[in-house]
């Protein structure tokens, strides 16, 4: 378990007319990851961006590039997104027929592999691929759009996931994606998140660096509470 929360602003809420500038602002503002939301109009209703924009993000920052593929048949595009500079490639469990093979392929290409789960999807599908996982993304909104409200039941899922992966001999990060705010960051981290994605809460804030710092501060408290409880 990592002891410091990582903050992953989602560029979905950035201003694409000045994307490089916005990415530099979160880099200087203390973000850890930059979260790139790829949507195909099929897995989710919305269409966003592809490898070209991912590559432009890569050129604008040294942050960890965390690419969240909300697309059908993700195996067709994994290589393009690794070549574009993704450090993590995350596919949806619901979109992956041959999940184990996809995760192996991401590793072969030299990136880290993650799996995202829609709010209704049980954790069971992860159980036999744990050896191939570097990150699990718990969706706390229905994917497709930024600015939605956090689904409260995700907290229970985070706790269940924590129980599933704590104690295994491999570092698997737990990321939570959707509806994260300074107000709920503490309980989210306490429930089990290591990485907090935040789109609108960062990019729509008057001061990006301040927003990142506030989310981090609250998440840090939650993580400390979780650690104290585990140690007890
Ligand atoms: C939702 C995306 C999220 C989203 C987060 O489909 O995967 O990454 O952009 O945005 P906020 O933080 O505004 O909910
Ligand atoms: Zn996302």
């Amino acid at each position: 378990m990592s002891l410091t929360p990582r903050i992953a602003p989602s560029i979905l809420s950035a201003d694409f007319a000045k994307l490089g500038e916005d990415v530099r602002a979160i880099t200087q503002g203390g973000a850890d990851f930059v979260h790139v939301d790829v949507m195909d109009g099929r897995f989710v209703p919305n269409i966003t961006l592809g490898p070209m924009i991912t590559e432009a993000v890569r050129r604008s920052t040294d942050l960890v590039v965390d690419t969240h593929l909300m697309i059908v048949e993700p195996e067709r595009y994994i290589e393009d997104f690794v070549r574009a500079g993704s450090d993590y490639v995350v596919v949806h469990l619901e979109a992956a027929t041959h999940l184990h093979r996809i995760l192996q392929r991401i590793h072969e290409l030299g990136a880290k592999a993650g799996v995202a789960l829609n709010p209704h999807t049980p954790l069971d599908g992860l159980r036999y691929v744990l050896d191939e996982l570097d990150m699990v993304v718990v969706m706390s909104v229905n994917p497709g759009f930024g600015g939605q409200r956090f689904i409260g039941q995700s907290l229970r899922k985070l706790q269940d996931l924590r129980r599933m992966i704590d104690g295994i001999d491999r570092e698997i990060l737990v990321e939570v994606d959707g509806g994260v705010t300074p107000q709920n960051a503490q309980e989210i981290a306490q429930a089990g998140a290591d990485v907090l994605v935040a789109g609108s809460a960062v990019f729509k804030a008057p001061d990006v660096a301040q927003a990142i710092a506030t989310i981090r501060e609250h998440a840090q408290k939650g993580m400390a509470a979780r650690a104290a409880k585990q140690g007890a």
Side-chain angles (χ1 to χ4, degrees), residues 35 37 68 70 177:
H35 185 86
D37 281 313
H68 177 192
M70 286 163 273
D177 186 7

Side-chain angles (χ1 to χ4, degrees), residues 20-74:
E21 229 176 275
D22 277 11
V23 172
R24 279 187 287 279
I26 58 166
T27 308
Q28 283 157 13
D32 302 281
F33 288 15
V34 52
H35 185 86
V36 178
D37 281 313
V38 179
M39 306 187 189
D40 65 351
R42 294 188 63 208
F43 183 70
V44 290
N46 205 0
I47 298 179
T48 54
L49 54 90
M52 277 169 62
I53 302 280
T54 308
E55 195 267 328
V57 169
R58 172 75 293 161
R59 273 189 285 119
S60 312
T61 186
D62 291 327
L63 294 178
V64 171
V65 175
D66 164 25
T67 301
H68 177 192
L69 299 181
M70 286 163 273
I71 64 175
V72 298
E73 300 176 24

Side-chain angles (χ1 to χ4, degrees), residues 3-174:
L3 289 168
T4 47
R6 292 167 220 200
I7 311 300
S10 160
I11 59 160
L12 192 57
S13 297
D15 179 350
F16 279 77
K18 55 177 184 67
L19 185 59
E21 229 176 275
D22 277 11
V23 172
R24 279 187 287 279
I26 58 166
T27 308
Q28 283 157 13
D32 302 281
F33 288 15
V34 52
H35 185 86
V36 178
D37 281 313
V38 179
M39 306 187 189
D40 65 351
R42 294 188 63 208
F43 183 70
V44 290
N46 205 0
I47 298 179
T48 54
L49 54 90
M52 277 169 62
I53 302 280
T54 308
E55 195 267 328
V57 169
R58 172 75 293 161
R59 273 189 285 119
S60 312
T61 186
D62 291 327
L63 294 178
V64 171
V65 175
D66 164 25
T67 301
H68 177 192
L69 299 181
M70 286 163 273
I71 64 175
V72 298
E73 300 176 24
E75 62 279 4
R76 294 176 59 195
Y77 297 101
I78 283 164
E79 189 164 346
D80 292 346
F81 283 100
V82 174
R83 284 194 201 290
S86 307
D87 296 294
Y88 283 83
V89 176
V90 176
V91 299
H92 264 264
L93 181 59
E94 304 83 5
T97 308
H98 298 287
L99 181 63
H100 187 268
R101 183 186 295 157
I102 289 174
L103 299 174
Q104 279 190 324
R105 180 77 186 128
I106 295 171
H107 285 144
E108 267 168 27
L109 291 164
K112 294 195 170 180
V115 174
L117 307 177
N118 281 338
H120 75 280
T121 304
L123 298 171
D124 310 17
L126 300 175
R127 191 168 298 280
Y128 304 110
V129 294
L130 291 174
D131 286 352
E132 298 291 337
L133 274 185
D134 302 301
M135 184 155 78
V136 177
V137 181
V138 172
M139 292 306 301
S140 43
V141 297
N142 287 294
F145 302 94
Q148 303 182 76
R149 190 206 280 250
F150 183 83
I151 297 172
Q153 287 170 97
S154 317
L155 294 174
R156 217 181 77 205
K157 196 174 194 176
L158 286 168
Q159 289 163 352
D160 291 346
L161 174 58
R162 210 70 251 183
R163 269 193 290 276
M164 186 184 230
I165 65 175
D166 277 350
I168 72 167
D169 191 20
R170 179 180 179 88
E171 193 190 26
I172 302 177
L173 293 176
V174 173

